[in-house]
Amino acid sequence: MKHNILKLLVLALIFVGCKNEKSTEAASDEVSTNETTEVNVYTHRHYPADQDLFTQFEKQTGIKVNVVNASADELMQKMTQEGAQSPADVLITVDAGRLVRAKDKGLLQSIDSKILNEIIPSNLKDKDNQWFALTKRARVIAYAKDRIKPEQLSTYEDLATDKWKNKILVRSSQNIYNQSLMASIIANDGEGKAKSWAERVVDNMAREPKGNDRDQIKAVVAGEGDIAIVNTYYIGKLLNSKNPEEIKAGEGIGIFFPNQENRGTHINISGAGVAKYAPNKANAIKFLEFLISKEAQDVFATVNYEYPVNPEAKTSELLKSWGDFKEDNVDLSLLGENNKKAVLLFDEAGWK
Ligand code: FE
């Protein structure tokens, strides 16, 4: 009897001991992985599709996404001012030129993610893994279907010839999309040729640069000029607009991918990086991995008409209807590095 009681006591002690061990294990787990339940996203993108994706991420992971929305320059300035106290975990912006700028300002950090490394092609990410492309956009020539035949078009360089006198519509050179296009022309043709290209395009403009890419397409359809230089997804947005005038503008133009016989059509990206002082770094990486997952990339392609960077993702029917094209595979970091030169040459060429 005494023996049995002793046995029971020993068993009970072992049981309690085990339980304690388990609970301390769990507690130390929490401390060592420093798990947090939120991620702070500074983003320049302002599309409803993005918000839907953020909500999806929250549901999948239980990590709350706090969004700060502003222009890229404002966000970078905010991060600079906040310094090491910055709550920013992720910076999302459009255009490689801006991502290079963020890296140069020391606002981002290198991260090591097997998923990001494997999925994103090397020309679409920073060599130190400080930023990564999320989507691609092509800068194409939109032409008036009723006046221009695609056979008349060929390259960006050809836009500098006399045949396009008073026919070209394009936005201001202050815009980063044009600066990156110019940076790619500098990379390919050299500074001298790039400058004279810009001068001649200015001569060929149908009007002084004004408005955004969508306005250029509307002006082509209204007959102010015959061709416009625009990003592809704006055409998708016009075609799917609620405004009948915009749909008409989208339907009135054809899409031409320049430079198919040589380096390929200029593409740019929307991309993201993990902030230098990210308080929730692990969540930031999870968040970026989610954004390049097949399911998220499908949304970018079907709802926002951007080209996915994940080859597994399906392209939308609309993007498919525009056809496959050869992309200019210039290292996107070079677009950032050539940005200052591009701005200067535009200025000298009188491109407002
Ligand atoms: Fe845009």
Side-chain angles (χ1 to χ4, degrees):
M1 184 72 182
K2 256 190 182 173
H3 258 109
N4 279 345
I5 288 172
L6 251 174
K7 255 189 193 168
L8 271 174
L9 260 173
V10 169
L11 277 173
L13 277 172
I14 289 171
F15 181 71
V16 170
C18 279
K19 262 193 107 176
N20 270 341
E21 216 171 277
K22 268 197 187 144
S23 63
T24 47
E25 234 176 56
S28 69
D29 249 14
E30 266 159 40
V31 173
S32 68
T33 54
N34 198 15
E35 269 177 36
T36 56
T37 52
E38 57 180 5
V39 63
N40 301 317
V41 178
Y42 282 22
T43 177
H44 173 143
R45 286 174 57 103
H46 42 77
Y47 312 114
D50 290 31
Q51 195 46 59
D52 292 347
L53 284 173
F54 298 168
T55 309
Q56 218 173 304
F57 175 76
E58 286 179 337
K59 275 191 200 144
Q60 256 181 40
T61 61
I63 297 167
K64 185 162 183 339
V65 181
N66 305 314
V67 178
V68 175
N69 227 311
S71 78
D73 289 335
E74 283 165 351
L75 292 172
M76 281 190 242
Q77 208 183 348
K78 190 169 157 61
M79 288 169 79
T80 307
Q81 280 165 357
E82 288 166 346
Q85 303 307 313
S86 177
D89 292 306
V90 174
L91 174 69
I92 303 179
T93 176
V94 294
D95 198 283
R98 291 199 181 107
L99 291 162
V100 171
R101 214 178 284 168
K103 182 190 178 191
D104 289 347
K105 284 176 187 283
L107 299 175
L108 305 174
Q109 63 171 298
S110 303
I111 57 162
D112 189 18
S113 157
K114 200 167 168 256
I115 295 176
L116 294 177
N117 284 342
E118 275 173 12
I119 292 178
I120 304 176
S122 64
N123 67 311
L124 300 180
K125 65 182 171 212
D126 172 47
K127 66 176 190 324
D128 301 316
N129 288 332
Q130 293 207 7
W131 54 259
F132 303 84
L134 299 174
T135 64
K136 293 185 286 190
R137 35 273 292 281
R139 199 143 179 81
V140 296
I141 300 172
Y143 60 91
K145 267 193 216 162
D146 58 346
R147 279 163 277 149
I148 299 293
K149 289 190 181 67
E151 297 80 51
Q152 293 170 262
L153 293 157
S154 59
T155 59
Y156 297 108
E157 285 77 3
D158 176 65
L159 299 178
T161 58
D162 287 344
K163 73 178 186 211
W164 299 111
K165 190 96 190 150
N166 299 327
K167 291 191 168 32
I168 300 176
L169 288 149
V170 61
R171 75 199 295 176
S172 158
S173 70
Q174 314 238 317
N175 178 265
I176 192 113
Y177 301 147
N178 281 341
Q179 292 169 8
S180 285
L181 172 63
M182 182 63 161
S184 78
I185 291 174
I186 294 171
N188 194 72
D189 302 339
E191 281 182 51
K193 279 188 185 162
K195 185 183 164 187
S196 58
W197 174 80
E199 283 167 346
R200 293 200 186 119
V201 171
V202 170
D203 279 346
N204 288 345
M205 285 180 190
R207 64 175 187 194
E208 270 195 8
K210 63 172 178 185
N212 56 28
D213 280 8
R214 270 179 269 212
D215 294 324
Q216 314 311 317
I217 297 171
K218 288 174 193 168
V220 166
V221 173
E224 272 196 73
D226 284 346
I227 55 175
I229 305 172
V230 297
N231 282 357
T232 35
Y233 56 92
Y234 288 117
I235 300 155
K237 283 173 188 267
L238 287 174
L239 288 170
N240 289 282
S241 166
K242 288 194 176 79
N243 177 343
E245 285 298 307
E246 293 205 328
I247 297 172
K248 213 178 119 198
E251 287 172 347
I253 52 117
I255 297 175
F256 184 83
F257 292 95
N259 296 69
Q260 292 303 288
E261 305 301 319
N262 47 45
R263 67 182 181 274
T265 296
H266 170 65
I267 58 147
N268 211 312
I269 57 159
S270 160
V274 174
K276 171 93 177 270
Y277 301 106
N280 308 291
K281 184 178 169 183
N283 293 349
I285 294 171
K286 260 187 221 164
F287 181 72
L288 295 190
E289 289 173 347
F290 168 79
L291 290 179
I292 62 144
S293 67
K294 189 189 162 303
E295 53 180 318
Q297 292 276 304
D298 284 348
V299 173
F300 284 131
T302 49
V303 184
N304 221 38
Y305 322 108
E306 294 175 276
Y307 292 97
V309 292
N310 184 337
E312 300 264 290
K314 58 173 187 287
T315 323
S316 76
E317 287 307 313
L318 181 65
L319 295 187
K320 267 190 216 146
S321 77
W322 294 340
D324 287 337
F325 65 97
K326 180 179 170 187
E327 296 171 10
D328 180 355
N329 281 331
V330 62
D331 190 335
L332 290 185
S333 300
L334 210 55
L335 303 186
E337 284 160 31
N338 283 348
N339 181 273
K340 278 205 180 84
K341 269 185 226 156
V343 172
L344 196 79
L345 294 181
F346 268 145
D347 218 40
E348 288 175 8
W351 187 321
K352 294 203 173 141

